[in-house]
Amino acid sequence: MLLLALSTGCNPVEQTPVPQAPAQQVPHGNVAQTSSALDALFAEPPRGITSYRLGPEGNPSMLILAVNPQAFEPQLIAAPGEGISARDAIQRFNLQLVIGSGFVSTMHSLQPVGLLQLEGRTLSPIETHGYTRILGVSDHGLGVVHRQAYERDIFHSALQAGPGIIEKGQLDISERDLQRPTYFRSFIGLCADVWLAGISFKPVHLRTLGEELLAFTQTQAWQCQEVVNLAGDRQAVLMLRNGQQSLDYHGDINTHKVSLLGFAAKSAER
């Protein structure tokens, strides 16, 4: 028995990692000075982007950035295996806004789940189960199709995302979602004359987020046909280059992501 105890002590059995609970707080602030005052962030976006906060004054629940497609062009950034942080992406590609991220197999993995296509090259094949939406970039800007309608030549770059929060202008999240855990969320919306890039400031059910989004976008008469869940929990991140050329953010901007979506200002000659 003593020998058995000694051998067990020398060769401990590996414990199965306990799944990490959903985040209740994530980093936010300005890269020059971390701030806990959300009302002070994202207040001066560049021309062509308008900032909206939803929720109680002084305690907002959600940020929406309305992006003018005439002033900005989307860019998918993908680096499977190596990854890239939001902070590096916004600087390296001279972006005004970056949001993420694409789905990965585990929290710390840099291997994509589902379709990841970059400039015509398929880096990861489409997943036929689970995430139902394909968010893509073409010469015409952003687009969303159901995975069953996806064809390789629709977009030059694309990633698989979902679920669709709003589809064909209607809320498309079941009440069953209210029984699931809440998470921080980032999302992309396609409307008649604007694109939406948004993030929740608090963990939220997708059903609740969708209800608030649908009500708000209708008051703005944006005619939003598609809003897609882009990321959840610690993968959700948004970073904006504000009017003073400083960088405001919500989420972890230093951890590498497998993919991100950026928006760059169109050149003057366009």
Side-chain angles (χ1 to χ4, degrees):
M1 291 294 291
L2 178 60
L3 289 174
L4 177 60
L6 288 173
S7 69
T8 302
C10 293
N11 299 283
V13 177
E14 289 188 8
Q15 299 296 315
T16 301
V18 177
Q20 197 166 6
Q24 297 303 307
Q25 292 183 329
V26 295
H28 62 266
N30 180 282
V31 294
Q33 182 177 1
T34 300
S35 169
S36 59
L38 290 174
D39 279 345
L41 301 175
F42 310 106
E44 298 184 49
R47 181 176 297 180
I49 298 178
T50 307
S51 174
Y52 301 89
R53 288 176 176 78
L54 275 61
E57 185 175 352
N59 189 26
S61 61
M62 188 190 316
L63 172 75
I64 297 174
L65 298 176
V67 181
N68 182 355
Q70 303 303 315
F72 291 89
E73 53 190 1
Q75 180 176 350
L76 182 63
I77 300 146
E82 177 183 0
I84 185 169
S85 70
R87 187 171 186 167
D88 286 345
I90 204 169
Q91 300 283 24
R92 187 186 305 178
F93 297 98
N94 194 27
L95 303 171
Q96 299 295 311
L97 167 64
V98 65
I99 185 170
S101 67
F103 290 110
V104 290
S105 55
T106 61
M107 184 183 304
H108 301 293
S109 169
L110 288 173
Q111 296 304 317
V113 170
L115 179 71
L116 185 57
Q117 178 180 322
L118 185 65
E119 298 298 335
R121 295 180 296 121
T122 300
L123 307 180
S124 177
I126 197 167
E127 173 61 55
T128 57
H129 302 284
Y131 309 120
T132 61
R133 315 303 280 165
I134 304 297
L135 174 66
V137 180
S138 71
D139 293 339
H140 305 292
L142 280 177
V144 173
V145 298
H146 193 280
R147 67 164 182 256
Q148 294 177 345
Y150 166 74
E151 296 180 9
R152 195 170 183 273
D153 60 352
I154 296 176
F155 307 115
H156 58 70
S157 301
L159 59 81
Q160 195 164 352
I165 303 171
I166 295 173
E167 293 187 17
K168 298 180 180 178
Q170 302 294 319
L171 181 66
D172 198 57
I173 298 292
S174 166
E175 289 187 356
R176 291 193 302 273
D177 178 68
L178 299 176
Q179 307 303 316
R180 302 185 178 106
T182 56
Y183 297 99
F184 289 99
R185 297 288 182 180
S186 61
F187 55 89
I188 291 291
L190 276 65
C191 311
D193 298 312
V194 296
W195 298 322
L196 306 183
I199 196 162
S200 66
F201 287 146
K202 302 174 183 178
V204 66
H205 289 109
L206 280 178
R207 170 82 183 191
T208 304
L209 185 147
E211 289 172 337
E212 293 180 6
L213 270 177
L214 188 60
F216 181 73
T217 57
Q218 287 176 345
T219 65
Q220 300 295 315
W222 280 337
Q223 301 177 48
C224 298
Q225 291 296 302
E226 302 284 342
V227 178
V228 180
N229 176 55
L230 188 58
D233 202 33
R234 294 167 178 85
Q235 294 295 321
V237 63
L238 184 147
M239 193 171 199
L240 175 72
R241 195 184 300 273
N242 72 19
Q244 282 73 43
Q245 294 299 301
S246 59
L247 299 170
D248 293 342
Y249 64 90
H250 192 275
D252 189 341
I253 59 171
N254 295 312
T255 299
H256 281 198
K257 311 294 186 185
V258 70
S259 57
L260 296 160
L261 183 66
F263 294 87
K266 290 184 176 180
S267 55
E269 58 268 21
R270 294 193 181 188

